[in-house]
């Protein structure tokens, strides 16, 4: 909220005080990046960038993560990107780091240094692999007289600037080009210019590109907004835009007393902490980036959950909003947790945080040469979210880069099965902390493991899982009681992984094992039935690339009592692989690699029945049902989102891939005319902003936003024929019912597949009442927002009124019911990248297409029982009693986790009349904006 000035998302530059429009990523006056400076911007603001989004260093345009080239100036991402998510005090890395992939990264060494008081410092001795922009021309200095570690700035171009790192009095590392003086700037070509120059000495480019970035707004919208700007004329000449060090010192000193002491300057000017952002010619002072009021977190300090202000321990009421500490304050002694992951000679040591809302810190270091990143206590939820984002990006970059060095991963992986009692590291933390850490990392595992091969993903996930004492405990008891073994990837696997680096680099949804052609005869209700329907149709599905493990020994499975979707994907893939193998070579299976692996490992394959695994997965689905957006509708304040539910983790990556492959196959069939005419519809012109390709099953209908060519009224066209629901989609429906996503009273008998190309959208609508409620949409391929509002209108290019955006993660299911289905309209704004959704709906019987016969397979579906089935399902043997106990605890835990997840997930948009957000500690923060 703009604190009464301007609009939500508008921000005050803490460098020069200029008030900037929300869409700007850089101060319009002094060009300092927005970073995390504005405490007024809500965490969920659409103006805040997302992981992967990048800013073009050529023209400063904000680009979605998916863009390979800058939308505005066309520069390729690999040359021009710097992340749109930035951290307090962080230098902003360009593509080579930010979008680091594991390929060829063996020699990369990374030392993410932590500045004692929270200034994030990154120093990267870069291998040539990294230096797309001429990093080779950057001199990497050895530790200098100030004791700093070798460092590099982020290479942009071919300048000869070398880098000198310094430490300040608090042992902070700072880096800046040699000879740097206050006001100097670095051109986009990489040349270091003196402050006096308005144009680059080398390439004559003017000091700054036109700054005017946008975020989630169409160019027209930004333009429109720009035209209406309140502070027009406020912009200063660019040449004066950069406060020198002295000015910076002046501007920040008040905020940072005692926190950011000055350091011995290596430049001509005495300076406070600063960092040189080589992407844009400006200086950034750490304190300003941390924002007003940023303070070091001390014991007893508390964060107001009403306004997220960080208060000193001594305060009994919030210093900002005067809310009483009692009842609303976050725990005064937040949890602190560390863990370490060792990957070859790199150790991610001590990821620690006090709680996600107050303090995060991460140490990442090559062994023996510790470097630390510390992120100071944050004072707003917004900051914590972005901190997580950066943290993850750092971790993922590092893990992604380093995990190739897997030849000694095993050493650590061997410790997977260790229990609390013999893991001194785990022993140093209490269970709750470990659970929090495990949950946190599990949640982000898909991100962390994005570029990892199966083995490495597994190692990482196993290690993360090992943090959870419950898992450890249960594994231990399971081991004892039933001699189930714990997975430890063996040398063979690891060597193989090393030898197959190319393959190991590409683990993602796209590289997941295609198990589509596995013939499994299990019943259609079980997990295994997935593969039954994997083919979905009677047509073959193209094989996907693999991770180089095909036909090779696979690690034995852990008796997993808790699995993330990534785990499950892996399991599915491995299982598919094994079955594949078995099907291919039934006669010599004993001599085959599968059996050989067993022999080598001496570990029997764990035999958790499918039913049991299904149950475990079912209990691991996350469900968010408390979306709140209060709007005045017909004179009454109502929660227009009542009835919405978001179920995440319903489909594993492998399953998603199968579904997506299948959809593509359907699309091909549709194009070739192999589907019924009304089944497949492709918009005539593939223009941005047009509707997407649709494939309908069960019934043909038109919506009011997409009247058909005959201008039929919206709703089910009873006399039109489409293809019946394919088997794979019936498997999905079955799962949705069994896993409590859709009630058995409303089993879908129709569905529509939407295939979005970049830029496709669905305009605001309410789904036709020819369909019963609830209905649901499953998301694939990429995340996008779905936007809700009682009065959702397009009020300008790319601009919606009354919007509440909910991000739809891949593999998630959004259920629409009650107000969420019928009071709020919904729409999908132009998607940033390709996406597929499948919306499942049950037809009103009176609107069935003529001659419609309900699918026998979909009759009598029943949800899994939470209680009665569990004991049966989990088989009340001795060992499984442990699992049962664990499952009970798991539910409690999951509730907690759910809450914390929900805190993080809540996504609000500015124009709701009243918005309530679950704040830290699960207390509600209420925002009122009745003029919305
Ligand atoms: O694609 C989506 O996520 C939503 C689709 C939708 O709203 C619809 O088909 O009615
Ligand atoms: Fe819809």
């Amino acid at each position: 909220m703009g604190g009464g000035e301007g609009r939500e998302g508008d921000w005050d530059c803490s460098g020069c005080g200029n008030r900037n429009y929300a869409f700007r990523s850089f101060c319009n006056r002094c060009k300092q990046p927005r970073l995390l400076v504005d405490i007024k911007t809500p965490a969920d603001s659409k103006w805040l960038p997302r992981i992967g989004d990048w800013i073009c260093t050529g023209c400063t345009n904000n680009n979605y993560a998916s863009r390979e080239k800058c939308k505005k100036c066309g520069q390729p991402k690999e040359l021009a990107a710097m992340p749109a998510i930035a951290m307090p005090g962080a230098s902003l890395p360009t593509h080579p780091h930010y979008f680091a992939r594991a390929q060829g990264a063996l020699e990369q060494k990374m030392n993410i240094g932590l500045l004692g008081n929270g200034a994030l410092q990154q120093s990267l001795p870069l291998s040539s692999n990294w230096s797309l922009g001429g990093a080779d021309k950057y001199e990497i200095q050895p530790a200098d007289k100030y004791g700093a570690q070798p460092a590099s700035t982020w290479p942009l171009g071919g300048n000869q600037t070398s880098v000198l790192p310094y430490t300040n009095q608090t042992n902070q590392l700072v880096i800046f080009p040699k000879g740097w003086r206050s006001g100097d700037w670095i051109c986009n070509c990489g040349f270091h210019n003196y402050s006096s120059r308005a144009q680059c000495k080398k390439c004559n480019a003017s000091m700054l590109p036109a700054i005017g970035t946008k975020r989630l707004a169409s160019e027209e919208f930004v333009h429109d907004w720009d035209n209406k700007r309140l502070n027009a004329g406020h912009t200063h000449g660019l040449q004066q835009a950069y406060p020198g060090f002295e000015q910076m010192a002046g501007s920040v000193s008040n905020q940072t007393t005692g926190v950011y002491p000055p350091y011995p300057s290596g430049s001509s000017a005495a300076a406070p902490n600063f960092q040189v952002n080589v992407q844009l010619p400006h200086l950034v002072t750490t304190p300003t980036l941390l924002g007003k009021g940023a303070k070091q977190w001390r014991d007893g300090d508390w964060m107001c959950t009403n306004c997220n202000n960080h208060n000193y321990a001594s305060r009994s009421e919030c210093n900002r909003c005067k809310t009483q500490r009692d009842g609303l304050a976050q725990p005064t002694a937040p949890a602190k947790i560390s863990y370490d992951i060792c990957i070859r000679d790199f150790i991610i040591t001590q990821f620690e945080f006090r709680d996600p809302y107050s303090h995060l810190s991460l140490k990442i270091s090559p062994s023996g040469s510790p470097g630390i990143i510390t992120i100071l206590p944050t004072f707003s939820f917004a900051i914590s979210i972005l901190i997580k984002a950066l943290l993850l990006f750092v971790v993922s970059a590092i893990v992604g880069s380093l995990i190739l060095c897997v030849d000694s991963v095993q050493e650590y992986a061997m410790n997977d099965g260790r229990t609390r009692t013999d893991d001194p590291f785990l022993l140093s933390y209490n269970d709750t902390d470990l659970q929090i850490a495990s949950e946190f990392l599990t949640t982000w595992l898909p991100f962390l493991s994005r570029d990892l091969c199966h083995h490495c993903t597994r190692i990482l996930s196993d290690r993360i899982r090992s943090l959870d004492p419950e898992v450890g405990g249960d594994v231990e008891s399971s081991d004892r009681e039933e001699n189930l073994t714990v997975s430890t990837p063996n040398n063979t696997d690891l060597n193989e992984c090393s030898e197959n680096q190319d393959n190991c680099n590409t683990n993602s949804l796209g590289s997941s094992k295609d198990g589509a052609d596995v013939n499994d005869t299990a019943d259609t209700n079980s997990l295994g039935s997935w593969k039954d329907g994997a083919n979905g149709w009677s047509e073959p599905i193209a094989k996907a690339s693999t991770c180089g493990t095909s036909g090779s020994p696979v690690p034995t499975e852990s008796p997993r009592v808790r699995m993330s979707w990534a785990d499950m994907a892996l399991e599915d893939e491995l299982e598919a692989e094994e079955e594949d193998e078995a099907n291919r070579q039934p006669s010599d299976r004993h001599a085959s690699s599968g059996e050989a692996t067993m022999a080598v490992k001496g570990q029997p394959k764990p035999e958790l029945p499918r039913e049991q695994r299904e149950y475990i997965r079912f209990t691991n689905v996350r469900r968010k049902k408390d979306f709140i957006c209060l709007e005045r509708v017909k004179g009454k304040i109502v929660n227009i989102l009542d009835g919405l539910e978001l179920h995440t983790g319903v489909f594993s990556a492998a399953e998603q891939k199968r579904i997506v492959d299948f959809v593509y196959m359907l699309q091909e069939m549709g194009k070739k005319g192999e589907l019924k005419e009304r089944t497949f519809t492709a918009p005539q012109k593939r223009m941005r902003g047009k509707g997407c390709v649709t494939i309908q099953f069960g019934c043909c209908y038109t919506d009011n936003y997409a009247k058909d060519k005959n201008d039929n009224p919206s709703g089910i066209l009873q006399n039109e024929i489409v293809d019946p629901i394919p088997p794979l989609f019936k498997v999905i429906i079955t799962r949705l019912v069994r896993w409590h996503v859709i009630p058995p009273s409303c089993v879908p008998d129709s569905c529509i597949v939407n295939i979005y190309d970049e830029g496709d959208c669905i305009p605001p609508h309410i789904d036709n009442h020819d369909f019963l409620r609830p209905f649901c949409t499953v998301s694939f391929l990429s995340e996008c927002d779905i936007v809700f509002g009682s009065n959702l209108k397009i009020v300008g290019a790319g601009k919606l009124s009354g919007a509440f955006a909910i991000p739809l993660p891949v593999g998630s299911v959004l259920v629409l019911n009650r107000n969420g289905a019928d009071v709020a309209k919904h729409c999908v704004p132009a998607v940033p990248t390709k996406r597929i959704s499948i919306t499942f709906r049950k037809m009103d019987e009176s609107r069935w297409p003529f001659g419609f016969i309900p699918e026998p397979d979909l009759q009598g579906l029943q949800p899994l029982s939470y209680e009665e089935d569990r004991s049966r399902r989990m088989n009340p043997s001795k060992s499984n009693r442990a699992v049962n106990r664990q499952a009970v605890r798991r539910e409690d835990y999951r509730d907690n986790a759910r809450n914390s997840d929900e805190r993080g997930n809540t996504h609000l948009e500015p124009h709701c009349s009243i918005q309530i957000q679950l704040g830290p500690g699960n207390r509600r923060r209420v925002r009122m904006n009745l003029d919305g």
Side-chain angles (χ1 to χ4, degrees):
M1 305 289 148
E5 317 149 44
R7 304 190 200 190
E8 184 272 340
D10 286 358
W11 53 284
D12 296 325
C13 173
S14 54
C16 72
N18 186 51
R19 184 144 190 87
N20 293 285
Y21 285 116
F23 59 82
R24 294 200 189 284
S25 297
F26 298 89
C27 173
N28 198 34
R29 187 198 293 169
C30 76
K31 315 307 170 198
Q32 178 167 304
R34 174 185 196 154
L35 299 181
L36 306 174
V37 293
D38 193 341
I39 57 172
K40 290 173 188 161
T41 304
D44 41 43
S45 171
K46 65 182 176 183
W47 303 108
L48 296 176
R50 298 180 187 184
I51 293 173
D53 286 1
W54 55 281
I55 295 171
C56 174
T57 54
C59 68
T60 73
N61 188 53
N62 259 10
N63 294 288
Y64 286 117
S66 55
R67 290 200 187 283
E68 289 308 318
K69 288 182 172 174
C70 172
K71 181 159 184 268
K72 200 165 164 191
C73 73
Q75 285 217 56
K77 184 196 241 178
E78 63 267 27
L79 291 180
M82 68 181 188
I85 293 179
M87 295 303 301
S91 290
L92 300 178
T94 44
H95 186 284
H97 166 70
Y98 183 57
F99 299 98
R101 293 287 183 270
Q103 290 97 322
L106 280 166
E107 284 148 34
Q108 292 167 12
K109 299 255 185 222
M110 212 176 212
N111 172 22
I112 307 280
L114 182 40
L115 308 189
N117 275 322
L120 180 123
Q121 184 67 43
Q122 307 180 2
S123 55
L124 294 180
L126 298 170
S127 75
S128 55
N129 296 316
W130 287 65
S131 51
L132 296 182
D136 48 332
K137 296 180 181 164
Y138 279 73
E139 223 174 274
I140 306 303
Q141 304 284 326
D144 69 1
K145 57 183 171 172
Y146 296 103
Q149 307 233 354
S152 165
T153 51
W154 309 98
L156 272 183
N159 100 347
Q160 299 293 325
T161 310
S162 60
V163 180
L164 283 183
Y166 293 88
T167 52
N168 67 8
Q169 286 169 358
T170 56
N171 205 27
Q172 297 185 332
L173 279 172
V174 289
I175 47 174
F176 51 89
K178 191 175 182 179
W180 187 269
R181 286 168 183 254
S182 164
D184 287 2
W185 56 284
I186 295 174
C187 178
N188 285 327
C189 75
F191 191 81
H192 167 189
N193 291 285
Y194 292 133
S195 57
S196 55
R197 292 192 186 283
Q199 289 189 310
C200 174
K201 188 179 175 197
K202 188 172 173 200
C203 73
N204 282 334
S206 60
M207 185 174 181
L208 270 185
I211 303 286
T213 59
K214 63 184 171 56
R215 170 67 202 149
L216 285 183
S218 69
E219 250 144 27
E220 302 87 281
F221 174 35
V222 172
H223 182 65
D224 177 52
W225 201 341
D226 238 357
N227 287 342
K228 292 182 194 144
R229 59 195 307 256
L230 297 172
N231 54 350
H234 222 146
T235 309
H236 289 197
L238 293 178
Q239 303 88 306
Q240 296 146 32
Y242 306 102
F245 292 162
E246 300 82 353
Q247 292 161 273
M248 290 297 213
S251 73
V252 299
S253 56
N254 292 344
Q255 298 166 21
T256 59
T257 313
V259 180
Y260 302 100
Y263 56 89
S265 171
S267 78
S268 61
N273 293 339
F274 74 97
Q275 296 210 334
V276 176
N277 179 331
V278 296
Q279 284 71 41
L280 282 174
H282 62 248
L283 303 178
V284 177
T285 58
T286 298
T288 54
L289 292 173
L290 281 169
K292 290 176 196 160
K295 299 178 285 271
Q296 190 156 22
W297 190 274
R298 298 200 178 89
D299 277 355
D301 286 0
W302 54 283
M303 189 186 294
C304 174
T305 49
N306 187 43
C307 70
N308 276 333
N309 188 47
H310 166 196
N311 293 289
Y312 287 132
S314 55
R315 293 197 187 282
S316 59
E317 63 175 25
C318 173
N319 193 33
R320 187 191 298 157
C321 72
K322 307 302 172 205
T323 299
Q324 287 296 310
R325 171 184 190 156
D326 288 348
L328 277 181
Q330 282 207 86
T332 53
K336 186 178 173 193
I337 182 65
S338 300
Y339 78 99
D340 53 357
I341 294 174
C342 174
I343 298 166
R344 199 179 182 190
D345 54 346
F346 283 83
I347 307 174
I348 299 176
T349 34
Q350 301 214 31
F351 159 69
E352 57 176 290
F353 62 94
R354 297 197 172 193
D355 78 34
Y357 307 101
S358 60
H359 179 112
L360 282 170
S361 94
L362 171 70
K363 290 181 185 177
I364 300 176
S365 64
S367 40
S369 175
I372 309 167
I373 291 176
T374 291
I375 296 161
L376 273 179
T378 58
F379 53 87
S380 82
F381 186 50
I383 289 179
S384 75
I385 291 291
L386 291 180
I387 282 174
K388 281 183 200 171
L390 182 78
L391 170 71
L392 291 166
F393 127 64
V394 169
V395 172
S396 91
I398 289 176
V399 173
S401 306
L402 304 177
I403 201 144
L404 285 178
C405 314
V406 289
D407 58 320
S408 60
V409 167
Q410 50 170 331
E411 183 191 323
Y412 217 73
M414 292 301 284
N415 291 330
D416 282 347
R418 64 189 171 185
T419 62
R420 278 189 71 73
T421 46
D422 58 12
D423 184 335
F425 172 77
L426 295 183
L427 285 173
S428 16
Y429 299 97
N430 69 42
D431 290 1
T432 315
D433 292 347
L434 289 168
Q435 278 181 346
I436 291 168
S438 175
E439 184 62 28
F440 178 83
L441 292 162
T442 301
T443 302
W444 288 97
L445 184 61
F447 185 80
L448 297 176
S449 58
R450 201 179 43 189
D451 297 316
L452 307 186
C453 73
H454 298 168
H455 296 298
C456 301
T457 300
R458 183 185 182 83
I459 287 162
L460 190 61
S461 67
D462 283 349
R463 179 55 180 150
I464 290 170
R465 198 167 45 247
S466 81
L467 299 179
D468 186 335
E470 282 187 0
V471 171
D474 284 322
V475 168
E476 186 190 9
S477 63
S478 297
D479 279 342
R480 263 204 320 268
E481 293 174 21
E482 214 175 74
N483 201 25
L484 291 175
T485 54
V486 174
S487 165
T488 54
N490 63 11
N491 290 343
T492 315
D493 299 325
L494 295 164
N495 291 338
E496 175 197 308
C497 184
S498 286
E499 286 159 22
N500 289 289
Q501 281 160 12
D502 288 345
N503 291 325
C504 291
N505 292 339
T506 54
N507 184 38
S508 65
L509 196 59
S511 70
S512 61
K513 199 85 174 142
D514 180 5
D517 53 356
V518 173
N519 280 321
D520 189 318
T521 51
D523 77 275
T524 51
N525 284 343
S526 75
L527 259 186
S529 70
W530 196 262
K531 289 162 191 136
D532 238 3
N535 207 335
W537 209 258
S538 51
E539 300 291 322
I541 297 172
K543 284 270 185 193
S545 63
T546 69
C547 189
T549 55
S550 184
S552 61
V554 290
T556 54
E557 298 291 312
S558 316
R560 291 197 179 97
V561 287
R562 177 181 175 214
M563 300 189 207
S564 71
W565 67 262
D567 296 326
M568 293 309 298
L570 185 62
E571 179 181 68
D572 277 358
E573 289 160 29
L574 295 175
E575 191 178 339
E577 204 171 72
E578 276 189 320
E579 289 177 25
D580 221 3
E581 179 71 18
N583 288 341
R584 274 202 306 270
Q585 300 174 296
S587 54
D588 62 358
R589 181 158 195 247
H590 288 261
S592 74
S593 56
E595 192 72 11
T597 309
M598 302 284 185
V600 169
K601 293 174 181 169
Q603 294 168 347
K605 182 174 187 270
E607 295 296 347
L608 281 186
R610 287 213 162 117
E611 219 182 16
Q612 194 166 319
R613 283 188 287 122
E614 178 185 19
Y615 190 79
I616 291 165
R617 285 192 58 185
F618 153 61
T619 54
N620 275 290
V621 172
R622 291 169 175 273
R623 306 171 201 267
K624 177 170 173 55
K625 304 184 179 183
D626 63 347
F627 294 99
I628 299 175
C629 177
L630 302 182
E631 286 192 358
R632 202 185 299 277
V633 180
K634 294 183 187 156
K636 282 191 182 159
I637 300 288
V638 291
N639 176 14
I640 60 156
L641 302 184
D642 169 60
L644 282 191
E645 298 179 8
L646 184 63
H647 302 250
T648 46
V650 180
F651 300 100
S652 73
E655 290 162 353
Q656 290 172 45
K657 173 161 172 30
R658 282 169 207 148
I659 296 166
V660 167
D661 283 345
F662 180 60
V663 168
Y664 282 147
M665 189 194 74
L666 291 173
Q667 188 176 13
E668 284 311 304
M669 291 171 72
K671 282 185 195 162
K672 288 187 206 149
E674 291 168 10
L675 299 176
K676 293 212 160 54
E677 194 192 337
R678 298 305 296 254
T679 298
F680 179 79
T681 313
Q684 291 282 305
K685 281 187 187 162
R686 302 297 305 143
M687 280 168 57
R688 186 182 166 82
K690 292 289 172 205
C692 38
V693 170
T694 59
I695 311 174
Q696 305 189 58
F697 297 102
C699 71
C700 172
Y701 86 101
T702 61
D703 224 321
N704 44 16
Y705 61 84
K707 287 230 166 77
D708 75 347
K709 56 184 177 212
N710 303 324
D711 222 13
N712 279 312
S714 59
I716 294 173
L717 306 179
Q718 290 177 286
N719 51 2
E720 297 285 357
I721 301 170
V722 295
D723 287 282
I725 299 183
L728 180 61
F729 291 1
K730 287 196 255 182
V731 177
I732 297 178
I733 293 171
T734 303
R735 174 172 294 179
L736 295 179
V737 176
R738 283 174 66 78
W739 290 17
H740 296 247
V741 177
I742 283 282
S745 56
C746 199
V747 178
D749 50 16
S750 71
C751 68
I752 180 163
V753 181
N754 291 320
I755 306 173
Y756 295 77
D757 260 338
E758 182 189 328
D760 286 349
C761 62
I762 290 193
H765 67 281
I766 286 179
D767 282 51
N768 196 282
H769 281 87
D770 284 356
F771 300 103
L772 304 182
R773 274 57 173 148
F775 55 93
C776 70
T777 294
V778 193
S779 296
F780 301 101
L781 268 187
S782 70
E783 182 174 310
C784 77
D785 285 346
I786 188 165
V787 175
F788 286 84
S790 63
N791 195 15
L792 210 51
K793 284 188 189 144
I794 302 172
V795 293
K799 191 178 175 192
L800 295 158
S801 68
F804 184 109
I806 298 175
L808 298 175
V810 292
S812 71
V813 189
L814 183 73
V815 179
L816 293 88
N817 205 1
R818 304 194 296 272
N819 292 352
D822 292 320
V823 174
K825 289 180 182 173
H826 59 274
C827 69
V828 179
V831 296
T833 186
K834 230 172 165 11
R835 169 180 188 255
I836 290 172
S837 73
I838 311 178
T839 300
F840 293 94
R841 290 179 283 222
K842 181 176 172 63
M843 294 177 275
D844 182 331
E845 249 183 76
S846 68
R847 301 291 305 146
W848 278 355
F850 302 132
F852 176 79
I853 300 168
E855 290 283 350
D857 295 351
L858 298 176
Q859 306 311 306
L861 296 181
Q862 285 305 317
L864 289 169
S865 159
Y866 275 108
E867 291 308 324
E868 305 97 73
D869 276 13
R870 176 164 45 215
S871 48
R872 186 169 56 78
R873 211 163 284 289
M874 293 308 208
N875 188 8
S877 68
K878 207 176 169 195
S879 66
N880 285 332
R881 276 201 299 275
V883 177
N884 290 347
R885 281 198 308 275
Q886 192 277 336
V888 175
R889 289 199 303 273
R890 170 72 53 216
E891 280 183 4
D892 296 345
Y893 167 50
R894 286 185 48 70
D895 277 341
N896 293 338
R898 227 172 268 152
N899 288 337
S900 77
D901 181 53
E902 285 161 6
R903 284 194 298 260
N905 254 348
T906 310
H907 204 93
L908 300 172
E909 288 298 309
H911 299 294
C912 291
S913 300
I914 300 178
Q915 298 175 334
I916 299 183
Q917 182 174 21
L918 276 184
N922 205 18
R923 295 180 187 93
R924 281 181 178 163
R925 284 188 280 145
V926 181
R927 289 208 191 95
M928 304 183 74
N929 183 12
L930 287 165
D931 61 359

